[in-house]
Amino acid sequence: MHMTESPRPSGAYTTDQDPTPYPYPYDTAYSTAYDGAAGGYPPPPPYAPDPSSYASEPPAPGHRDRRAKRPVALLAAVALAAAVIGGGTATLVGQLSDGGASATGSTGTVQGTTVSQSSKGTVSGVAEAVSPAIVEIGAASSAGKSTGSGVVITEDGEIVTNNHVISGAQQIEVTLSTGKTYTADVVGTDPDKDLALIKLRGASGLKTAALGDSSQVKVGDQVVAIGSPEGLTGTVTSGIISALDRDVTVAKDDSGSSGENQGGGGQQWPFEFGGQQFNGDTGEKTTTYKALQTDASLNPGNSGGALINMDGEIIGINSAMYAPSSSAAGSGSTAGSVGLGFAIPVNTLKADLDTLRAGDGS
């Protein structure tokens, strides 16, 4: 061992042969156990003091080394750091959980924002979450202009609506909930199911709707309908599911009279139910599908819009509604909803998406 010359006189430091207890502070329990032992030696300290830490002299007897408190301070610092990191981890997990709602699903649709936990089960919560994904569709044809609604299902502008809303259209204009407008092209149609898929030109980063599971819907479930009745974009109504599997018959594809509010005449899309015709003649080309029945108020322009459960998931595409004739209503205009509305189950849409995207149903 390398030794340095000490300026202090001999005997100023204790030696290994000195039976006097070492003055370095140690635990009282160890002191009691070893002070009476032969030679009076205490156990070696957990680490030796660093002589360089003292300016000129070693600590005086009874003086507690300030460095001995560092492990406690270190533990406190580690605990504090762990708490901070733990909080950051919780925040990150929350962000990932919220962001998971926007992940692209296996079907290619983007799962939209669902109702926040604090607003779950409320109409206002559903409206706030889903309204940005519901659009107004204006379809112009040689017979006039029809107005309907649609549901955004991808961030780049794929929109689902009813076939009868855009059938025969020569130009399609879509208005978002923000008021921004786009021109749209027809991707594919399926007249047998009264479904159509259109795509906005140059759109990106759009709010999208989450598609639910209509097989889980029960009579009495609360629902919310969002659409553009009479051109009133973003109108919200609510009600319940009144019945399941209603056989509803609509006109299949008649470009001469299709659409809603065509030419400003307030005409509604006609349909058949129970062997009777409502809202006009459906014509010769018809198709029948199983529909969800709801008492949520639907009016001309709601077709193609969303029927939504209280978790903010789309469970149906609104497609038909009953209104009494103008003569029965006693006025010169078509009466509004009387609580008989029908929607195409969302599972029918999900099963048809690949066909619509391929344009095979056109």
Side-chain angles (χ1 to χ4, degrees):
M1 176 184 297
H2 178 72
M3 303 292 292
T4 57
E5 183 177 355
S6 172
R8 297 181 63 84
S10 175
Y13 294 100
T14 59
T15 67
D16 289 342
Q17 288 75 32
D18 189 349
T20 303
Y22 188 70
Y24 184 78
Y26 53 92
D27 189 271
T28 306
Y30 284 107
S31 176
T32 303
Y34 285 94
D35 281 353
Y41 295 114
Y47 56 84
D50 183 3
S52 64
S53 64
Y54 307 118
S56 58
E57 297 184 3
H63 174 76
R64 193 165 186 86
D65 187 3
R66 293 171 60 187
R67 292 170 56 90
K69 293 184 179 182
R70 289 191 176 183
V72 177
L74 178 60
L75 289 174
V78 170
L80 178 60
V84 172
I85 294 174
T89 303
T91 302
L92 178 60
V93 169
Q95 291 172 345
L96 290 176
S97 298
D98 292 341
S102 300
T104 301
S106 58
T107 62
T109 62
V110 177
Q111 297 302 303
T113 304
T114 53
V115 182
S116 65
Q117 195 64 36
S118 60
S119 299
K120 214 159 196 176
T122 67
V123 174
S124 61
V126 171
E128 181 180 8
V130 185
S131 287
I134 310 303
V135 301
E136 178 183 317
I137 298 175
S141 69
S142 58
K145 184 178 180 180
S146 63
T147 302
S149 304
V151 180
V152 181
I153 61 171
T154 64
E155 292 179 338
D156 61 351
E158 282 188 344
I159 295 174
V160 173
T161 186
N162 288 139
N163 176 63
H164 75 254
V165 170
I166 53 88
S167 178
Q170 298 167 341
Q171 183 177 359
I172 301 174
E173 187 176 80
V174 173
T175 304
L176 305 184
S177 63
T178 60
K180 187 173 183 178
T181 60
Y182 288 89
T183 298
D185 300 308
V186 176
V187 176
T189 63
D190 191 341
D192 288 333
K193 297 178 181 177
D194 195 21
L195 290 171
L197 184 69
I198 62 176
K199 177 77 177 292
L200 304 184
R201 298 177 185 174
S204 62
L206 301 184
K207 296 289 186 181
T208 63
L211 304 183
D213 182 359
S214 52
S215 70
Q216 300 301 310
V217 175
K218 297 179 177 62
V219 173
D221 285 351
Q222 288 184 296
V223 290
V224 174
I226 305 178
S228 300
E230 306 291 354
L232 300 174
T233 305
T235 295
V236 178
T237 58
S238 64
I240 62 168
I241 295 294
S242 304
L244 305 174
D245 300 325
R246 293 297 201 194
D247 287 324
V248 173
T249 301
V250 298
K252 185 173 182 179
D253 190 4
D254 185 355
S255 60
S257 62
S258 65
E260 297 188 3
N261 296 344
Q262 198 162 53
Q267 297 299 313
Q268 293 192 13
W269 184 248
F271 73 98
E272 296 179 11
F273 176 75
Q276 299 183 58
Q277 292 190 348
F278 301 94
N279 305 338
D281 188 357
T282 57
E284 296 180 358
K285 297 179 180 179
T286 63
T287 184
T288 301
Y289 55 82
K290 299 286 187 181
L292 303 174
Q293 182 181 326
T294 179
D295 69 350
S297 179
L298 302 179
N299 291 285
N302 269 113
S303 281
L307 190 65
I308 312 155
N309 66 19
M310 301 310 288
D311 288 330
E313 299 170 331
I314 310 301
I315 57 169
I317 302 298
N318 298 323
S319 58
M321 67 290 302
Y322 166 73
S325 65
S326 57
S327 58
S331 66
S333 62
T334 303
S337 171
V338 292
L340 289 174
F342 303 92
I344 301 167
V346 75
N347 286 6
T348 300
L349 164 63
K350 292 195 291 187
D352 206 31
L353 266 179
D354 289 342
T355 299
L356 293 172
R357 285 180 170 136
D360 296 338
S362 300

